[in-house]
């Protein structure tokens, strides 16, 4: 039997969050939206350099400053087509009464707010890694929509990397439970996307979000009905992916035609 579920959206501000909120709000009302401040670029770069090294991070930075911006312009028609075909609603979220701003989702302020609100379900979208203190201290179920098929495509840009690897069978989106790892939580639903010749690095996420929203709606419905279950996935090597470097992206585009 379905029961009223109190839902909080834990996220960063951005277009995908707007799509998710507008798609869910009428079917599954959102109690609050908690916006996390984006991590400052200096701190982000320091952490990434420590993990990947200067040369690779420089290549990633040049890529991010150029290629996606160019593709956003050249792919405008395709993006609008996807939004129209899938009903992705980018109407701004105007109800300030439900919005809470926090410095970090792992901050004391955020934890206290979540404890005060006592949500049953927390939908995660685009935040930094959530600490065990948050996950274990709120008494809620955390669910995330990931732009990739896990465990094979954890991290970022799972659709792009699957296409680069000619792995169409694993080009898609995953809705999963959240744990303290990076996209390592139990899989609830997965669905493939079918890119066409007009698609590229910046349009894959629109297709993934569109399909992922459908899965998220189903996950919330199952949770409310008390029948949410993890899905058994075929054994697959787990890999964490990052942004491509500018030189790798250009090489792949020239040799494989993947944009």
């Amino acid at each position: 039997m379905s029961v009223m579920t109190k839902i909080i959206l834990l996220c960063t501000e951005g277009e995908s969050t707007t799509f998710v909120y507008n798609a869910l709000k009428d079917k599954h009302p959102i109690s609050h939206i908690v916006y996390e401040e984006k991590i400052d670029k200096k701190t982000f770069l320091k952490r990434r350099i420590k993990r990947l090294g200067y040369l690779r991070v420089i290549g990633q930075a040049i890529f991010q400053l150029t290629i996606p911006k160019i593709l956003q312009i050249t792919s405008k028609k395709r993006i609008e087509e996807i939004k129209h075909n899938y009903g992705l609603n980018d109407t701004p979220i105007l109800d300030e009464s439900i919005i809470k701003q926090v410095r970090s989702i792992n901050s004391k302020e955020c934890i206290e707010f979540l404890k005060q609100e006592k949500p049953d379900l927390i939908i995660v979208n685009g935040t930094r890694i959530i600490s065990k203190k948050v996950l274990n201290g709120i008494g809620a179920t955390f669910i995330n929509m990931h732009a990739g098929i896990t465990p094979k495509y954890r991290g970022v840009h799972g659709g792009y990397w699957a296409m680069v690897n000619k792995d169409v069978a694993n080009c898609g989106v995953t809705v999963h439970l959240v744990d303290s790892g990076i996209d390592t939580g139990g899989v609830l639903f997965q669905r493939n996307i079918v890119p066409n010749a007009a698609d590229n690095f910046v349009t894959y996420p629109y297709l993934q979000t569109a399909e992922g929203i459908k899965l998220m709606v189903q996950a919330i419905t199952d949770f409310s009905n008390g029948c949410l279950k993890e899905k058994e996935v075929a054994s697959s090597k787990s890999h964490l992916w990052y942004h491509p470097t500018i030189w790798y992206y250009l090489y792949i585009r020239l040799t494989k035609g993947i944009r």
Side-chain angles (χ1 to χ4, degrees):
M1 181 178 178
S2 179
V3 297
M4 182 62 72
T5 300
K6 186 172 184 179
I7 302 170
I8 284 181
L9 184 57
L10 195 60
C11 55
T12 54
E13 289 190 66
E15 192 175 41
S16 68
T17 291
T18 304
F19 291 151
V20 171
Y21 172 77
N22 285 328
L24 297 182
K25 65 182 177 67
D26 294 328
K27 300 180 182 69
H28 300 285
I30 306 298
S31 171
H32 286 89
I33 301 172
V34 179
Y35 282 134
E36 176 188 53
E37 290 182 11
K38 292 183 179 180
I39 188 169
D40 68 276
K41 292 182 180 179
K42 187 176 181 181
T43 301
F44 175 82
L45 288 173
K46 282 184 177 180
R47 291 177 181 174
R48 187 57 58 86
I49 288 169
K50 186 176 181 180
R51 179 184 289 266
L52 301 177
Y54 279 100
L55 185 61
R56 188 172 174 186
V57 173
I58 289 170
Q60 291 174 333
I62 296 172
F63 168 82
Q64 289 177 270
L65 290 170
T66 55
I67 301 299
K69 292 181 180 180
I70 294 170
L71 290 176
Q72 282 285 347
I73 295 171
T74 59
S75 304
K76 187 174 181 180
K77 182 178 179 180
R78 175 57 176 156
I79 290 170
E80 291 303 318
E81 179 182 55
I82 295 171
K83 288 162 67 174
H84 173 76
N85 289 346
Y86 286 92
L88 293 175
N89 184 352
D90 58 7
T91 302
I93 303 169
L94 301 176
D95 186 358
E96 294 186 4
S97 67
I98 66 169
I99 294 175
K100 170 74 173 177
Q101 301 273 359
V102 297
R103 178 185 56 80
S104 165
I105 54 172
N106 297 317
S107 65
K108 182 179 178 181
E109 175 192 15
C110 184
I111 293 172
E112 290 180 350
F113 178 78
L114 294 175
K115 285 183 175 180
Q116 173 187 311
E117 292 300 319
K118 299 178 181 177
D120 303 298
L121 186 62
I122 295 177
I123 306 301
V124 180
N125 192 69
T127 69
R128 67 193 74 184
I129 302 302
I130 303 176
S131 70
K132 289 183 180 180
K133 188 174 182 180
V134 177
L135 294 172
N136 300 331
I138 307 303
T141 297
F142 290 71
I143 297 179
N144 179 55
M145 180 171 67
H146 170 65
I149 297 294
T150 61
K152 196 170 185 180
Y153 293 97
R154 296 164 44 235
V156 294
H157 309 302
Y160 170 76
W161 289 116
M163 295 299 289
V164 168
N165 295 330
K166 296 183 179 180
D167 189 11
V168 178
N170 285 296
C171 182
V173 60
T174 301
V175 169
H176 64 89
L177 297 171
V178 179
D179 61 18
S180 58
I182 302 176
D183 307 319
T184 54
V187 172
L188 300 173
F189 298 100
Q190 292 180 321
R191 182 172 292 172
N192 282 22
I193 62 169
V194 185
N196 65 32
D199 288 310
N200 56 56
F201 186 88
V202 301
T203 65
Y204 300 139
Y206 285 90
L207 293 169
Q208 290 168 302
T209 299
E211 293 293 351
I213 283 172
K214 299 175 187 177
L215 302 182
M216 184 62 76
V217 170
Q218 184 61 55
I220 298 172
T221 300
D222 286 357
F223 179 86
S224 298
N225 290 332
C227 58
L228 187 66
K229 293 182 179 180
E230 291 184 33
K231 174 184 177 181
E232 287 190 19
V233 295
S235 179
S236 179
K237 186 176 180 180
S238 178
H239 191 85
L240 184 61
W241 299 86
Y242 297 92
H243 302 287
T245 60
I246 181 67
W247 36 85
Y248 185 82
Y249 173 84
L250 293 176
Y251 168 75
I252 291 297
R253 182 162 180 170
L254 288 171
T255 59
K256 296 187 178 182
I258 305 297
R259 298 183 298 140

